[in-house]
Amino acid sequence: MAGASPMWEAMWAKGLRPKEAFDVGGPSPTLAEVLAKGSLGAGVGKCALVPGCGRAYDALALAEYGFERVVAVDLAPTAVEAAKQFLASCGNPAAARVEMQCANFFEMKLEPKADVIWDCTFLCALDPSARTDWARKMGELLEPEGTLITCIFPICDKEGGPPFAMSVPLVKGLLEPAGFRAAELREDAARHTAGGMAAGTALGLWTKAAGR
Ligand SMILES: C[S@@+](CC[C@H](N)C(=O)[O-])C[C@H]1O[C@@H](n2cnc3c(N)ncnc32)[C@H](O)[C@@H]1O
């Protein structure tokens, strides 16, 4: 099925270690920069979602920031096990607020919906034929006026993937027709780094239009 490739479980099942391939070994510097600004509405009753969460470092950072519930979803059972092990051993009490789910993002349900969704190297991991569904599903999983935050990475000229090359116009062209408007778009965001790739990073904060 487009967007739910068995290659992910195969990759994780080989024993993907922290800091190997796409695994940063900790929270994305791009997310850390967003959280340091303190402008996301978190707190009691607020929910964040991290699709394609891998080892869930970013989910933990969102819980520590103050989201009461953080739903972290990965298709690969071995990724979910690795994330659970990380959360159980990290010694951070915020880990108790991270809810791990092994699910296909395109088929998942979430009630109540998320106030914030963080996409970090998830869109670039998907087959390009799944991109329109990615944008539609993001809209379905967010509260009206909720915020989708996209780490737009890797910005480069490479052919093929994953990761597939990303760009700000590409992401804008997916999200605007799906009812999102850009609240903030920055090409000078703190650089995400993964797999030693020398690629650019941009940051997008997208508001879901009310009534969509
Ligand atoms: C490039 S990795 C990024 C992982 C994590 N965001 C990080 O930065 O470490 C993409 C992740 O998305 C997961 N994934 C791929 N397709 C998925 C789907 N349809 N639903 C949920 N997770 C998926 C993969 O198993 C993989 O762990």
Side-chain angles (χ1 to χ4, degrees):
M1 180 190 180
S5 167
M7 68 145 279
W8 291 107
E9 173 54 19
M11 187 172 183
W12 277 100
K14 276 185 200 151
L16 187 103
R17 292 186 305 270
K19 299 194 180 173
E20 193 179 344
F22 54 76
D23 186 302
V24 177
S28 164
T30 318
L31 178 64
E33 185 182 68
V34 174
L35 298 183
K37 287 193 175 159
S39 56
L40 297 180
V44 178
K46 296 290 183 184
C47 172
L49 170 67
V50 184
C53 63
R55 249 190 197 88
Y57 308 114
D58 290 344
L60 177 62
L62 287 158
E64 192 167 26
Y65 176 81
F67 285 93
E68 186 179 19
R69 181 184 184 210
V70 181
V71 179
V73 179
D74 206 287
L75 179 68
T78 308
V80 173
E81 276 315 305
K84 284 182 177 171
Q85 278 180 26
F86 163 69
L87 293 168
S89 63
C90 68
N92 186 333
R97 283 184 278 111
V98 179
E99 186 181 314
M100 288 304 310
Q101 289 187 13
C102 187
N104 177 359
F105 164 77
F106 295 97
E107 293 174 352
M108 71 173 288
K109 307 252 182 288
L110 188 64
E111 282 303 329
K113 294 183 182 186
D115 299 285
V116 166
I117 303 180
W118 166 244
D119 184 304
C120 183
T121 59
F122 180 54
L123 174 60
C124 74
L126 300 174
D127 188 88
S129 63
R131 288 175 183 167
T132 307
D133 280 346
W134 168 87
R136 181 194 52 74
K137 188 70 184 180
M138 288 294 188
E140 185 187 310
L141 294 170
L142 257 187
E143 289 285 358
E145 298 291 329
T147 304
L148 167 63
I149 312 174
T150 54
C151 172
I152 304 171
F153 175 91
I155 298 178
C156 58
D157 283 333
K158 80 191 277 288
E159 293 289 325
F164 293 90
M166 293 284 115
S167 71
V168 171
L170 186 155
V171 178
K172 204 172 179 187
L174 292 169
L175 290 175
E176 286 183 344
F180 286 89
R181 67 180 158 74
E184 186 180 335
L185 261 180
R186 286 191 22 226
E187 311 238 11
D188 63 345
R191 289 172 86 92
H192 183 78
T193 49
M197 282 184 82
T201 306
L203 174 72
L205 272 72
W206 311 86
T207 307
K208 176 182 157 179
R212 295 285 298 221

